[in-house]
Amino acid sequence: MSLEQELALQMTRRRFFGRGAKGIGSLALASLLREDLYGDAPGKSYGALNRLHFAPTAKRIIYLFMSGAPSQLDLFDAKPKLVEMTGQPMPESVTKGQRIAQLAGRKLVCVGSKFQFGKHGRSGAEISELLPHTAGIADDLAIIRSMHTDAINHDPAVTLIQTGGQQPGRPTMGAWFSYGLGSENRQLPSFVVLTSGGGQGQPLLSRYWGNGFLPSSHQGVEFRSRGEPILFVSNPKGVTTRSRRHLLDGLRDLNRLKMDAVGDPDIAARIKSFEMAYRMQTSVPDLMDTGQEPPKVLEQYGAQPGVPSFANNCLLARRLVERGVRFIQLYHRGWDHHNSLPSNIALQCRQTDQASAALIRDLKQRGLFEDTLVIWGGEFGRTPMNQGDMTRGNYGRDHHMKAYTIWMAGGGIKPGVTVGATDDLGYNPVEEPVHINDFQATVLHCMGIDHEKFTYRFQGRDFRLTDVGGKVIEKAVVSG
């Protein structure tokens, strides 16, 4: 028997796959640790995509998520007919057979907004008196009034708009972009999360910025506004930078041995996470020091260094954009107004309106607006029917999945346009309805990605952010 024949007999099926797994593991580790080898230029990476499907109009995203669902009827969707019908029964023809959350089985009474609306900018966009600063940037916005969703409660609705499905377990939008596009800055994560409004409204679950079935290195990293910006990144007492580096080197070598033995890509992701944490020890403190900003900029945002707030997070978002972070998600809690809506929504607008507008103006001033996509909105809308006490001008609104409003700006979004319209009572879209998957397809489009081609195979199926739907909102994007 020849030597070749003997070797062939020794190469069993199990041995073949075992050796193959080692090679695949080494390739995965190399790609994770040397992202600069896989982009168009040194220091630039397109992640798993390698190249984009077409020329992007945005390089990065800031998503201002208003957790709890702002009332579109009190902010962006003026309904004189609804105001006129306040206190009268909601026509049964409108609501019959419709899903209603907590109002089910109750008498449905119309309630119009107590706030005044005005036309603003050359576009004549109708915006509530509650948002004077946002009204000042009306000509920069594409206001989408016909958004609708499939979920009627908070958790599945947030999960749907972030992942494309109502069931937990899928990657969030920021994780998809981190996986597909990589990072422009090796010193910071490609997906960063900032939260505000603590102690009010719906809880925020960490899976809202989770990686799902994508490698764990793509999950969002939450930066805290108080105390240590990132938990467990700083060295413990008695541990020097040199000793930490020595420890990480040893840990990396052990992980590599395990990686070669089993070929588990999660080990490569773990190595990458440790290395990122080490690099962030030097990059994050400088980033978080908003006291470096000129007093005029702090005043523009309404931010106070070291004081947790939505305003401070908007300023941090701009600083993250300047440093090349791909996806920045701001969550602001407190928009779930089932009762006492007039006073509660006024409070939320005071906390968010000035900073949202300041962010747009600041990005424009610094030449970052044209390639930064900014999004503002919640998980669903609020009903045109009252919930709670209506005496003395008070009222509340329940969850509404049929129609609500978001706005988008910058990064290839057509400025000064309004997309869609709802009926006279603000219940159903009557023009250009926009589903959650359409919104997601549009965001991907702005980043140069075809939502139908950007997939990840998991458990025998090719998953995508837009699930099995979605089409680009052509009226909202600048044509190529």
Side-chain angles (χ1 to χ4, degrees):
M1 181 182 292
S2 69
L3 178 61
E4 289 81 2
Q5 290 172 321
E6 186 176 348
L7 289 173
L9 288 173
Q10 292 176 1
M11 182 58 75
T12 64
R13 183 173 181 272
R14 179 174 295 179
R15 200 167 195 180
F16 171 78
F17 283 115
R19 289 186 176 182
K22 292 179 184 179
I24 293 170
S26 299
L27 287 172
L29 179 60
S31 68
L32 284 166
L33 295 181
R34 292 296 310 277
E35 289 180 342
D36 56 300
L37 296 178
Y38 291 85
D40 290 345
K44 185 177 182 180
S45 170
Y46 282 114
L49 282 174
N50 289 324
R51 63 179 66 252
L52 298 174
H53 298 133
F54 42 79
T57 54
K59 294 180 180 178
R60 62 199 76 87
I61 296 169
I62 301 174
Y63 191 167
L64 311 177
F65 193 85
M66 304 295 111
S67 176
S71 169
Q72 75 284 2
L73 298 167
D74 295 276
L75 299 178
F76 293 105
D77 201 2
K79 292 298 171 190
K81 180 68 174 177
L82 185 64
V83 173
E84 181 185 315
M85 290 185 62
T86 296
Q88 298 180 31
M90 172 65 71
E92 186 179 351
S93 59
V94 177
T95 60
K96 187 174 182 180
Q98 298 290 333
R99 291 177 66 194
I100 299 173
Q102 298 176 30
L103 288 177
R106 303 184 189 183
K107 183 180 180 181
L108 304 180
V109 177
C110 294
V111 58
S113 178
K114 68 178 293 184
F115 301 104
Q116 299 298 311
F117 284 73
K119 293 183 183 294
H120 298 276
R122 295 185 304 276
S123 61
E126 284 191 291
I127 298 175
S128 167
E129 62 181 314
L130 289 169
L131 299 172
H133 297 279
T134 301
I137 57 167
D139 286 338
D140 295 313
L141 311 179
I143 299 173
I144 303 172
R145 287 190 179 147
S146 53
M147 285 284 292
H148 62 98
T149 181
D150 302 329
I152 201 167
N153 288 312
H154 294 286
D155 180 66
V158 177
T159 304
L160 176 60
I161 198 167
Q162 294 298 340
T163 72
Q166 295 185 50
Q167 297 299 320
R170 296 188 183 191
T172 52
M173 191 181 295
W176 275 110
F177 283 112
S178 174
Y179 167 73
L181 301 180
S183 178
E184 294 183 313
N185 185 342
R186 296 184 68 252
Q187 307 303 315
L188 290 168
S190 54
F191 178 17
V192 170
V193 177
L194 304 166
T195 65
S196 57
Q200 57 185 21
Q202 295 295 315
L204 292 176
L205 308 178
S206 59
R207 63 175 174 78
Y208 293 161
W209 49 89
N211 57 293
F213 44 70
L214 294 176
S216 57
S217 57
H218 299 297
Q219 67 182 336
V221 177
E222 183 180 1
F223 285 12
R224 305 192 312 157
S225 301
R226 181 177 290 160
E228 279 194 87
I230 304 172
L231 291 174
F232 312 120
V233 167
S234 300
N235 290 332
K237 280 187 177 182
V239 177
T240 65
T241 301
R242 183 177 179 181
S243 62
R244 171 55 67 92
R245 182 66 266 172
H246 182 70
L247 176 66
L248 287 175
D249 287 344
L251 190 59
R252 179 199 59 212
D253 291 344
L254 288 172
N255 277 320
R256 280 179 171 171
L257 289 172
K258 189 67 173 177
M259 179 78 185
D260 287 340
V262 301
D264 185 353
D266 278 346
I267 299 175
R270 190 181 308 145
I271 295 172
K272 186 180 180 184
S273 295
F274 286 146
E275 294 298 322
M276 174 61 74
Y278 180 77
R279 294 194 295 270
M280 285 194 294
Q281 288 185 336
T282 56
S283 62
V284 169
D286 176 70
L287 162 73
M288 300 297 286
D289 184 11
T290 56
Q292 301 174 21
E293 296 288 339
K296 184 177 180 181
V297 172
L298 295 171
E299 182 182 355
Q300 181 182 358
Y301 280 87
Q304 299 179 51
V307 177
S309 66
F310 178 79
N312 199 52
N313 286 350
C314 282
L315 180 53
L316 284 171
R318 189 267 289 162
R319 292 169 68 86
L320 286 161
V321 158
E322 288 179 312
R323 287 160 173 79
V325 173
R326 184 76 66 183
F327 194 99
I328 304 126
Q329 180 103 49
L330 276 66
Y331 282 93
H332 184 73
R333 285 167 282 190
W335 292 94
D336 191 20
H337 301 147
H338 290 274
N339 47 55
S340 302
L341 183 146
S343 58
N344 288 330
I345 198 171
L347 171 64
Q348 294 306 310
C349 289
R350 287 194 296 271
Q351 292 179 0
T352 60
D353 176 44
Q354 178 180 344
S356 299
L359 175 62
I360 299 295
R361 292 192 174 102
D362 200 9
L363 291 172
K364 291 179 73 173
Q365 182 181 351
R366 296 167 189 271
L368 295 166
F369 183 65
E370 293 302 317
D371 56 9
T372 302
L373 173 60
V374 183
I375 305 163
W376 184 102
E379 62 266 39
F380 43 58
R382 314 302 298 196
T383 57
M385 301 88 75
N386 174 64
Q387 183 178 26
D389 183 16
M390 278 186 70
T391 60
R392 297 185 297 278
N394 199 16
Y395 56 91
R397 300 189 189 278
D398 199 5
H399 310 164
H400 192 55
M401 57 188 279
K402 303 292 289 186
Y404 72 104
T405 301
I406 69 167
W407 59 253
M408 306 171 76
I413 294 297
K414 195 174 297 182
V417 299
T418 297
V419 178
T422 56
D423 58 36
D424 288 343
L425 300 180
Y427 196 94
N428 287 303
V430 292
E431 294 178 15
E432 301 166 312
V434 175
H435 187 265
I436 295 296
N437 295 147
D438 302 331
F439 159 71
Q440 293 161 338
T442 305
V443 175
L444 288 163
H445 174 86
C446 290
M447 297 291 280
I449 301 172
D450 184 329
H451 73 103
E452 293 183 335
K453 295 178 180 178
F454 184 31
T455 63
Y456 186 91
R457 179 158 284 261
F458 176 67
Q459 294 184 343
R461 178 188 164 187
D462 290 331
F463 283 85
R464 66 188 207 216
L465 175 60
T466 52
D467 196 31
V468 295
K471 59 182 184 299
V472 175
I473 312 165
E474 297 292 347
K475 188 175 178 180
V477 298
V478 176
S479 57

